[in-house]
Amino acid sequence: MPLTSPSYGGIEAGGTKFVCAVGASPGDLRDETRIDTTTPDETLSRCIDFFLAREVDAVGIASFGPLDPDPPSPTFGYITTTPKPGWANVDFAGTIQRALNVPVGFDTDVNGAALGEYRWGAAQGLDTFLYLTVGTGVGGGGLVNGKLMHGLIHPEMGHIRVPQDRAVDPYQGACPYHGNCLEGLTSGVAIEKRWGVPASELPPEHPAWRLEADYLAHALANFACTLSPQRIILGGGVMDQSHLFPMIRERVANLLNGYIQNAAILDRMDEFIAPPGLGNKSGVLGAIALAERASGER
Ligand code: ZN
C-alpha cells in the first residue's frame, strides 16, 4: 500500500466538451475542469496544461469515436473516422503520452463509463454487463466475462436497426450514415428534430416518451438476447428523464415475453435495467479507472 494515494488523470472526451479530472476514486476527486471541444491542437494542449500543473501517475482517456483501442495497431490511440470536423485521424493518446510521459489508457467513452461502473458503481461484482448512453449520440460498451468489449474495433451499439412503423413515426432519422438506426431515432438530436423542442422541454405525458421507450426497449431486448448481460445500465442526458425507466422495463419484459428464464429479468427488472451508480460521473471516473488500469495498479 503506497503511503500517499495515487494521482490519476482522467479525460472524458466528448464532441462538445472535455472533462479533465485528477483523483483516484469517487471519494477522491481532487480537481476537475471543463474544456470546450474546439480544434484537436487547442483542446489537447489545454488538457496537457491542466495535467502538467498537477502531478499524475497515469492518464486514462474515455473518448468519443470511432477510435482505435487495439494496442498493437499502428494507429492505436487515434480517433479514426469521426465525422467531427478536424478530429479524424488524430493521435489522441500518443499526443498525451508524449507530453506527460506517463502510461496512458485509451478506450471509448462508453467502455470507460462501463469500467467506472464496474469499479465503483452499479456493475460491481458483475462480469458481463452493458453500459448504454442515450444523449446527443447513442452508444454502448461493457464487459463480457470480465473483459472490456473489443473485437474487430469496438461495439457500435447505437447503430443497430430497430423496427420503425412509419405510420406512427414518419421521422426519417438523424444518423448521417443510416438515417433511422437506433441513434438516428432515439438520440437527443433525433428527439429535438422530430418534435421541434429539446427533450428536456417535453412533459412526461408527451407521446415522445412512449415512442422513445419503445425503440430503446427493442434495442435492449436485442442486447439481452445477444450478449446475455447480467445488467444493462442506462446513462446519458436523455435518461435524466427518469420516467423513461419504468416504461422501458415494462416494454422489455413484454418483448422478451418470458423467454429468458432468469429471476433478474422475471422478478428484478428494476435492477436489470438500472441508472448508473455513479450518476453523471460515470464518464470521468471511468477515465480515471482506465488510468488506474494503465498504471498497472489493477
Ligand atoms: Zn447510425
PDB file of all heavy atoms in Angstrom, residues 163-190:
ATOM      1  N   PRO A 163     -37.206  -1.900 -35.298  1.00  0.00           N
ATOM      2  CA  PRO A 163     -38.366  -1.699 -36.179  1.00  0.00           C
ATOM      3  C   PRO A 163     -38.958  -0.296 -36.019  1.00  0.00           C
ATOM      4  O   PRO A 163     -39.079   0.214 -34.909  1.00  0.00           O
ATOM      5  CB  PRO A 163     -39.378  -2.742 -35.695  1.00  0.00           C
ATOM      6  CG  PRO A 163     -38.682  -3.603 -34.714  1.00  0.00           C
ATOM      7  CD  PRO A 163     -37.426  -2.933 -34.289  1.00  0.00           C
ATOM      8  N   GLN A 164     -39.294   0.310 -37.147  1.00  0.00           N
ATOM      9  CA  GLN A 164     -39.959   1.618 -37.131  1.00  0.00           C
ATOM     10  C   GLN A 164     -41.245   1.524 -37.945  1.00  0.00           C
ATOM     11  O   GLN A 164     -41.202   1.104 -39.107  1.00  0.00           O
ATOM     12  CB  GLN A 164     -39.047   2.688 -37.746  1.00  0.00           C
ATOM     13  CG  GLN A 164     -39.700   4.075 -37.767  1.00  0.00           C
ATOM     14  CD  GLN A 164     -38.860   5.124 -38.485  1.00  0.00           C
ATOM     15  OE1 GLN A 164     -37.980   4.796 -39.286  1.00  0.00           O
ATOM     16  NE2 GLN A 164     -39.142   6.387 -38.222  1.00  0.00           N
ATOM     17  N   ASP A 165     -42.341   1.908 -37.324  1.00  0.00           N
ATOM     18  CA  ASP A 165     -43.622   1.951 -38.034  1.00  0.00           C
ATOM     19  C   ASP A 165     -43.821   3.390 -38.516  1.00  0.00           C
ATOM     20  O   ASP A 165     -44.148   4.276 -37.731  1.00  0.00           O
ATOM     21  CB  ASP A 165     -44.747   1.524 -37.075  1.00  0.00           C
ATOM     22  CG  ASP A 165     -46.113   1.546 -37.766  1.00  0.00           C
ATOM     23  OD1 ASP A 165     -46.203   2.062 -38.910  1.00  0.00           O
ATOM     24  OD2 ASP A 165     -47.088   1.070 -37.143  1.00  0.00           O
ATOM     25  N   ARG A 166     -43.614   3.598 -39.816  1.00  0.00           N
ATOM     26  CA  ARG A 166     -43.658   4.973 -40.337  1.00  0.00           C
ATOM     27  C   ARG A 166     -45.065   5.573 -40.304  1.00  0.00           C
ATOM     28  O   ARG A 166     -45.223   6.783 -40.426  1.00  0.00           O
ATOM     29  CB  ARG A 166     -43.087   5.031 -41.748  1.00  0.00           C
ATOM     30  CG  ARG A 166     -41.626   4.645 -41.789  1.00  0.00           C
ATOM     31  CD  ARG A 166     -40.777   5.714 -42.453  1.00  0.00           C
ATOM     32  NE  ARG A 166     -39.393   5.260 -42.507  1.00  0.00           N
ATOM     33  CZ  ARG A 166     -38.348   6.046 -42.631  1.00  0.00           C
ATOM     34  NH1 ARG A 166     -38.498   7.331 -42.700  1.00  0.00           N
ATOM     35  NH2 ARG A 166     -37.134   5.555 -42.668  1.00  0.00           N
ATOM     36  N   ALA A 167     -46.075   4.719 -40.097  1.00  0.00           N
ATOM     37  CA  ALA A 167     -47.426   5.254 -39.942  1.00  0.00           C
ATOM     38  C   ALA A 167     -47.563   5.947 -38.586  1.00  0.00           C
ATOM     39  O   ALA A 167     -48.328   6.895 -38.426  1.00  0.00           O
ATOM     40  CB  ALA A 167     -48.462   4.142 -40.075  1.00  0.00           C
ATOM     41  N   VAL A 168     -46.801   5.465 -37.609  1.00  0.00           N
ATOM     42  CA  VAL A 168     -46.832   6.053 -36.268  1.00  0.00           C
ATOM     43  C   VAL A 168     -45.777   7.154 -36.148  1.00  0.00           C
ATOM     44  O   VAL A 168     -46.009   8.204 -35.565  1.00  0.00           O
ATOM     45  CB  VAL A 168     -46.564   4.954 -35.202  1.00  0.00           C
ATOM     46  CG1 VAL A 168     -46.450   5.546 -33.811  1.00  0.00           C
ATOM     47  CG2 VAL A 168     -47.660   3.894 -35.255  1.00  0.00           C
ATOM     48  N   ASP A 169     -44.601   6.883 -36.724  1.00  0.00           N
ATOM     49  CA  ASP A 169     -43.457   7.792 -36.602  1.00  0.00           C
ATOM     50  C   ASP A 169     -42.820   7.981 -37.980  1.00  0.00           C
ATOM     51  O   ASP A 169     -41.955   7.209 -38.388  1.00  0.00           O
ATOM     52  CB  ASP A 169     -42.426   7.205 -35.618  1.00  0.00           C
ATOM     53  CG  ASP A 169     -41.175   8.063 -35.531  1.00  0.00           C
ATOM     54  OD1 ASP A 169     -41.253   9.283 -35.815  1.00  0.00           O
ATOM     55  OD2 ASP A 169     -40.112   7.521 -35.170  1.00  0.00           O
ATOM     56  N   PRO A 170     -43.243   9.025 -38.695  1.00  0.00           N
ATOM     57  CA  PRO A 170     -42.721   9.208 -40.058  1.00  0.00           C
ATOM     58  C   PRO A 170     -41.307   9.809 -40.095  1.00  0.00           C
ATOM     59  O   PRO A 170     -40.733   9.938 -41.180  1.00  0.00           O
ATOM     60  CB  PRO A 170     -43.733  10.173 -40.691  1.00  0.00           C
ATOM     61  CG  PRO A 170     -44.398  10.870 -39.550  1.00  0.00           C
ATOM     62  CD  PRO A 170     -44.308   9.984 -38.345  1.00  0.00           C
ATOM     63  N   TYR A 171     -40.724  10.135 -38.947  1.00  0.00           N
ATOM     64  CA  TYR A 171     -39.409  10.793 -38.923  1.00  0.00           C
ATOM     65  C   TYR A 171     -38.344   9.923 -39.608  1.00  0.00           C
ATOM     66  O   TYR A 171     -38.240   8.727 -39.345  1.00  0.00           O
ATOM     67  CB  TYR A 171     -39.029  11.080 -37.467  1.00  0.00           C
ATOM     68  CG  TYR A 171     -37.686  11.744 -37.332  1.00  0.00           C
ATOM     69  CD1 TYR A 171     -37.396  12.922 -38.023  1.00  0.00           C
ATOM     70  CD2 TYR A 171     -36.701  11.189 -36.518  1.00  0.00           C
ATOM     71  CE1 TYR A 171     -36.162  13.526 -37.902  1.00  0.00           C
ATOM     72  CE2 TYR A 171     -35.458  11.794 -36.388  1.00  0.00           C
ATOM     73  CZ  TYR A 171     -35.191  12.962 -37.095  1.00  0.00           C
ATOM     74  OH  TYR A 171     -33.961  13.547 -36.976  1.00  0.00           O
ATOM     75  N   GLN A 172     -37.550  10.549 -40.480  1.00  0.00           N
ATOM     76  CA  GLN A 172     -36.594   9.759 -41.279  1.00  0.00           C
ATOM     77  C   GLN A 172     -35.331   9.380 -40.523  1.00  0.00           C
ATOM     78  O   GLN A 172     -34.552   8.540 -40.975  1.00  0.00           O
ATOM     79  CB  GLN A 172     -36.247  10.496 -42.582  1.00  0.00           C
ATOM     80  CG  GLN A 172     -35.305  11.687 -42.448  1.00  0.00           C
ATOM     81  CD  GLN A 172     -35.987  12.991 -42.043  1.00  0.00           C
ATOM     82  OE1 GLN A 172     -37.143  13.004 -41.593  1.00  0.00           O
ATOM     83  NE2 GLN A 172     -35.275  14.101 -42.182  1.00  0.00           N
ATOM     84  N   GLY A 173     -35.095   9.995 -39.365  1.00  0.00           N
ATOM     85  CA  GLY A 173     -33.932   9.621 -38.556  1.00  0.00           C
ATOM     86  C   GLY A 173     -32.776  10.590 -38.719  1.00  0.00           C
ATOM     87  O   GLY A 173     -32.612  11.199 -39.774  1.00  0.00           O
ATOM     88  N   ALA A 174     -31.962  10.706 -37.689  1.00  0.00           N
ATOM     89  CA  ALA A 174     -30.924  11.744 -37.640  1.00  0.00           C
ATOM     90  C   ALA A 174     -29.516  11.241 -37.909  1.00  0.00           C
ATOM     91  O   ALA A 174     -28.574  12.027 -37.922  1.00  0.00           O
ATOM     92  CB  ALA A 174     -30.956  12.409 -36.256  1.00  0.00           C
ATOM     93  N   CYS A 175     -29.333   9.924 -38.116  1.00  0.00           N
ATOM     94  CA  CYS A 175     -27.962   9.438 -38.298  1.00  0.00           C
ATOM     95  C   CYS A 175     -27.470   9.750 -39.705  1.00  0.00           C
ATOM     96  O   CYS A 175     -28.130   9.397 -40.678  1.00  0.00           O
ATOM     97  CB  CYS A 175     -27.879   7.928 -38.057  1.00  0.00           C
ATOM     98  SG  CYS A 175     -26.219   7.279 -38.372  1.00  0.00           S
ATOM     99  N   PRO A 176     -26.304  10.422 -39.823  1.00  0.00           N
ATOM    100  CA  PRO A 176     -25.800  10.748 -41.163  1.00  0.00           C
ATOM    101  C   PRO A 176     -25.411   9.509 -41.978  1.00  0.00           C
ATOM    102  O   PRO A 176     -25.341   9.573 -43.198  1.00  0.00           O
ATOM    103  CB  PRO A 176     -24.570  11.617 -40.883  1.00  0.00           C
ATOM    104  CG  PRO A 176     -24.212  11.401 -39.457  1.00  0.00           C
ATOM    105  CD  PRO A 176     -25.468  10.959 -38.751  1.00  0.00           C
ATOM    106  N   TYR A 177     -25.194   8.379 -41.316  1.00  0.00           N
ATOM    107  CA  TYR A 177     -24.818   7.156 -42.037  1.00  0.00           C
ATOM    108  C   TYR A 177     -26.017   6.276 -42.369  1.00  0.00           C
ATOM    109  O   TYR A 177     -26.055   5.634 -43.408  1.00  0.00           O
ATOM    110  CB  TYR A 177     -23.816   6.328 -41.223  1.00  0.00           C
ATOM    111  CG  TYR A 177     -22.459   6.993 -41.127  1.00  0.00           C
ATOM    112  CD1 TYR A 177     -22.183   7.882 -40.104  1.00  0.00           C
ATOM    113  CD2 TYR A 177     -21.481   6.738 -42.085  1.00  0.00           C
ATOM    114  CE1 TYR A 177     -20.939   8.507 -40.021  1.00  0.00           C
ATOM    115  CE2 TYR A 177     -20.244   7.355 -42.018  1.00  0.00           C
ATOM    116  CZ  TYR A 177     -19.977   8.241 -40.985  1.00  0.00           C
ATOM    117  OH  TYR A 177     -18.763   8.851 -40.922  1.00  0.00           O
ATOM    118  N   HIS A 178     -26.966   6.164 -41.418  1.00  0.00           N
ATOM    119  CA  HIS A 178     -28.035   5.163 -41.563  1.00  0.00           C
ATOM    120  C   HIS A 178     -29.453   5.735 -41.489  1.00  0.00           C
ATOM    121  O   HIS A 178     -30.404   4.984 -41.627  1.00  0.00           O
ATOM    122  CB  HIS A 178     -27.923   4.094 -40.460  1.00  0.00           C
ATOM    123  CG  HIS A 178     -26.523   3.634 -40.216  1.00  0.00           C
ATOM    124  ND1 HIS A 178     -25.840   3.864 -39.047  1.00  0.00           N
ATOM    125  CD2 HIS A 178     -25.671   2.979 -41.030  1.00  0.00           C
ATOM    126  CE1 HIS A 178     -24.618   3.360 -39.142  1.00  0.00           C
ATOM    127  NE2 HIS A 178     -24.488   2.821 -40.321  1.00  0.00           N
ATOM    128  N   GLY A 179     -29.599   7.019 -41.253  1.00  0.00           N
ATOM    129  CA  GLY A 179     -30.951   7.539 -41.073  1.00  0.00           C
ATOM    130  C   GLY A 179     -31.565   7.007 -39.805  1.00  0.00           C
ATOM    131  O   GLY A 179     -31.286   7.473 -38.707  1.00  0.00           O
ATOM    132  N   ASN A 180     -32.403   5.959 -39.934  1.00  0.00           N
ATOM    133  CA  ASN A 180     -33.225   5.514 -38.804  1.00  0.00           C
ATOM    134  C   ASN A 180     -32.638   4.346 -38.020  1.00  0.00           C
ATOM    135  O   ASN A 180     -33.361   3.453 -37.598  1.00  0.00           O
ATOM    136  CB  ASN A 180     -34.640   5.168 -39.281  1.00  0.00           C
ATOM    137  CG  ASN A 180     -34.662   3.937 -40.186  1.00  0.00           C
ATOM    138  OD1 ASN A 180     -33.637   3.520 -40.704  1.00  0.00           O
ATOM    139  ND2 ASN A 180     -35.837   3.361 -40.355  1.00  0.00           N
ATOM    140  N   CYS A 181     -31.312   4.350 -37.786  1.00  0.00           N
ATOM    141  CA  CYS A 181     -30.757   3.376 -36.831  1.00  0.00           C
ATOM    142  C   CYS A 181     -31.178   3.810 -35.418  1.00  0.00           C
ATOM    143  O   CYS A 181     -31.867   4.826 -35.244  1.00  0.00           O
ATOM    144  CB  CYS A 181     -29.238   3.309 -36.961  1.00  0.00           C
ATOM    145  SG  CYS A 181     -28.428   4.854 -36.516  1.00  0.00           S
ATOM    146  N   LEU A 182     -30.764   3.048 -34.406  1.00  0.00           N
ATOM    147  CA  LEU A 182     -31.170   3.363 -33.034  1.00  0.00           C
ATOM    148  C   LEU A 182     -30.812   4.801 -32.657  1.00  0.00           C
ATOM    149  O   LEU A 182     -31.655   5.542 -32.141  1.00  0.00           O
ATOM    150  CB  LEU A 182     -30.505   2.369 -32.060  1.00  0.00           C
ATOM    151  CG  LEU A 182     -30.844   2.560 -30.585  1.00  0.00           C
ATOM    152  CD1 LEU A 182     -32.322   2.272 -30.318  1.00  0.00           C
ATOM    153  CD2 LEU A 182     -29.957   1.664 -29.711  1.00  0.00           C
ATOM    154  N   GLU A 183     -29.573   5.201 -32.915  1.00  0.00           N
ATOM    155  CA  GLU A 183     -29.185   6.582 -32.614  1.00  0.00           C
ATOM    156  C   GLU A 183     -30.013   7.572 -33.419  1.00  0.00           C
ATOM    157  O   GLU A 183     -30.444   8.607 -32.907  1.00  0.00           O
ATOM    158  CB  GLU A 183     -27.685   6.784 -32.906  1.00  0.00           C
ATOM    159  CG  GLU A 183     -27.228   8.224 -32.734  1.00  0.00           C
ATOM    160  CD  GLU A 183     -25.722   8.393 -32.907  1.00  0.00           C
ATOM    161  OE1 GLU A 183     -24.966   7.911 -32.051  1.00  0.00           O
ATOM    162  OE2 GLU A 183     -25.301   9.008 -33.918  1.00  0.00           O
ATOM    163  N   GLY A 184     -30.224   7.233 -34.681  1.00  0.00           N
ATOM    164  CA  GLY A 184     -30.990   8.108 -35.564  1.00  0.00           C
ATOM    165  C   GLY A 184     -32.408   8.340 -35.085  1.00  0.00           C
ATOM    166  O   GLY A 184     -33.018   9.375 -35.377  1.00  0.00           O
ATOM    167  N   LEU A 185     -32.960   7.379 -34.342  1.00  0.00           N
ATOM    168  CA  LEU A 185     -34.343   7.500 -33.859  1.00  0.00           C
ATOM    169  C   LEU A 185     -34.451   7.988 -32.418  1.00  0.00           C
ATOM    170  O   LEU A 185     -35.487   8.545 -32.036  1.00  0.00           O
ATOM    171  CB  LEU A 185     -35.052   6.140 -33.970  1.00  0.00           C
ATOM    172  CG  LEU A 185     -35.334   5.644 -35.395  1.00  0.00           C
ATOM    173  CD1 LEU A 185     -35.865   4.215 -35.367  1.00  0.00           C
ATOM    174  CD2 LEU A 185     -36.312   6.574 -36.118  1.00  0.00           C
ATOM    175  N   THR A 186     -33.418   7.756 -31.589  1.00  0.00           N
ATOM    176  CA  THR A 186     -33.609   7.971 -30.142  1.00  0.00           C
ATOM    177  C   THR A 186     -32.669   8.989 -29.497  1.00  0.00           C
ATOM    178  O   THR A 186     -32.842   9.301 -28.321  1.00  0.00           O
ATOM    179  CB  THR A 186     -33.434   6.647 -29.358  1.00  0.00           C
ATOM    180  OG1 THR A 186     -32.083   6.198 -29.500  1.00  0.00           O
ATOM    181  CG2 THR A 186     -34.395   5.582 -29.821  1.00  0.00           C
ATOM    182  N   SER A 187     -31.668   9.485 -30.233  1.00  0.00           N
ATOM    183  CA  SER A 187     -30.737  10.430 -29.598  1.00  0.00           C
ATOM    184  C   SER A 187     -31.464  11.721 -29.229  1.00  0.00           C
ATOM    185  O   SER A 187     -32.559  12.005 -29.722  1.00  0.00           O
ATOM    186  CB  SER A 187     -29.590  10.753 -30.557  1.00  0.00           C
ATOM    187  OG  SER A 187     -30.083  11.526 -31.649  1.00  0.00           O
ATOM    188  N   GLY A 188     -30.823  12.502 -28.383  1.00  0.00           N
ATOM    189  CA  GLY A 188     -31.362  13.817 -28.050  1.00  0.00           C
ATOM    190  C   GLY A 188     -31.562  14.669 -29.297  1.00  0.00           C
ATOM    191  O   GLY A 188     -32.554  15.398 -29.407  1.00  0.00           O
ATOM    192  N   VAL A 189     -30.642  14.530 -30.240  1.00  0.00           N
ATOM    193  CA  VAL A 189     -30.759  15.273 -31.512  1.00  0.00           C
ATOM    194  C   VAL A 189     -32.018  14.831 -32.262  1.00  0.00           C
ATOM    195  O   VAL A 189     -32.786  15.653 -32.766  1.00  0.00           O
ATOM    196  CB  VAL A 189     -29.501  15.031 -32.381  1.00  0.00           C
ATOM    197  CG1 VAL A 189     -29.672  15.622 -33.774  1.00  0.00           C
ATOM    198  CG2 VAL A 189     -28.258  15.597 -31.692  1.00  0.00           C
ATOM    199  N   ALA A 190     -32.246  13.510 -32.314  1.00  0.00           N
ATOM    200  CA  ALA A 190     -33.423  12.979 -33.024  1.00  0.00           C
ATOM    201  C   ALA A 190     -34.717  13.459 -32.364  1.00  0.00           C
ATOM    202  O   ALA A 190     -35.673  13.837 -33.051  1.00  0.00           O
ATOM    203  CB  ALA A 190     -33.381  11.448 -33.039  1.00  0.00           C
TER     204      ALA A 190
END
